[in-house]
Amino acid sequence: MARARAAMTREHGGGTFSQVLVDRLEYRAVRGRDGYAWEADGWIGGDIHRFALATEGEGEFGHAPDEAEVQALYRRAIGPWFNAEAGVRQDLGRGGRRTHAVIGIDGLAPYWFDVSAQAFLSTRGELQTRLEASYDQRITQRLILQPAAEVTLAAQDVPELAVGAGVSEAELGLRLRYEIRREFAPYVGVHRERKFGAAARFARAEGERASATNWVAGVRFWF
């Protein structure tokens, strides 16, 4: 493995590279409410070691984000297809401010599935795990259908954040994008969220729905 990585470094010149990917910047419509969501990731480094900033969140227009987070991560290649990562996550949304330690792994699984698993331990001792997977199905050279799924699991109830022990929340999405250029692609689709168990009860107690389906339209771009 060490020889292979050394060969990889020589092949690419051992240089420093960078990329910013805005995977989702979208409008969401559900029962007359106008909302928004984003997910982006930027990194700088080489083939083995990288420093990354990642952010995601969602909310309603005219209000502060309901959920928002920023992660600062160190990533290290642990094989041709996967990276291990560690760092810190800061929550910024109206749902509550938390600081978490982060460890995780992400990469390309067999059959070209993009997968990610992260564990978060907050300064209050709250432990959560987030699992994500997506797949780009090319219909044509420019038209791409992307199903995606995300599941959040928690070790304990956190009522103020509407988080319940066990499987707390799941999100499913189906987005169809058209690559005007490789670096720029508008899309449309549907996104569904659902809370389970105690998380659903906490949400209803706050006057919120435990599940929602959104029609979405947005843009994906990178540079």
Side-chain angles (χ1 to χ4, degrees), residues 5 18 39 44 60 96 108 112 116 123 150 163 165 168 172 182 192 197 208:
R5 286 177 178 164
S18 63
E39 183 173 333
I44 185 169
E60 296 181 26
L108 199 61
W112 306 103
S116 172
T123 53
E150 177 180 315
V163 170
S168 180
L172 298 174
R182 295 298 184 192
R192 176 153 179 89
E208 300 178 0

Side-chain angles (χ1 to χ4, degrees), residues 48-116:
I48 305 299
H49 306 281
R50 295 179 178 179
F51 174 75
L53 286 175
T55 178
E56 65 178 78
E58 61 183 45
E60 296 181 26
F61 288 109
H63 301 279
D66 295 321
E67 299 179 8
E69 68 177 58
V70 177
Q71 295 186 30
L73 301 167
Y74 163 71
R75 290 179 177 153
R76 190 184 193 285
I78 56 174
W81 309 108
F82 281 90
N83 298 312
E85 58 188 17
V88 63
R89 162 187 155 189
Q90 179 65 49
D91 293 347
L92 302 171
R94 290 190 298 165
R97 293 180 179 268
R98 295 284 199 282
T99 302
H100 308 255
V102 182
I103 59 170
I105 186 171
D106 76 279
L108 199 61
Y111 304 102
W112 306 103
F113 282 88
D114 283 306
V115 296
S116 172

Side-chain angles (χ1 to χ4, degrees), residues 138 141-142 144 177-182 184-185:
R138 286 194 174 271
Q141 288 298 312
R142 294 182 180 269
I144 299 166
R177 70 176 186 265
Y178 182 80
E179 292 184 340
I180 297 175
R181 299 178 58 185
R182 295 298 184 192
F184 184 84

Side-chain angles (χ1 to χ4, degrees), residues 127 152-158 162-169 196-199 201-202:
L127 179 62
T152 300
L153 303 96
Q156 61 272 103
D157 292 343
V158 187
V163 170
V167 178
S168 180
E169 185 176 4
F196 298 91
R201 294 195 300 272
F202 296 148

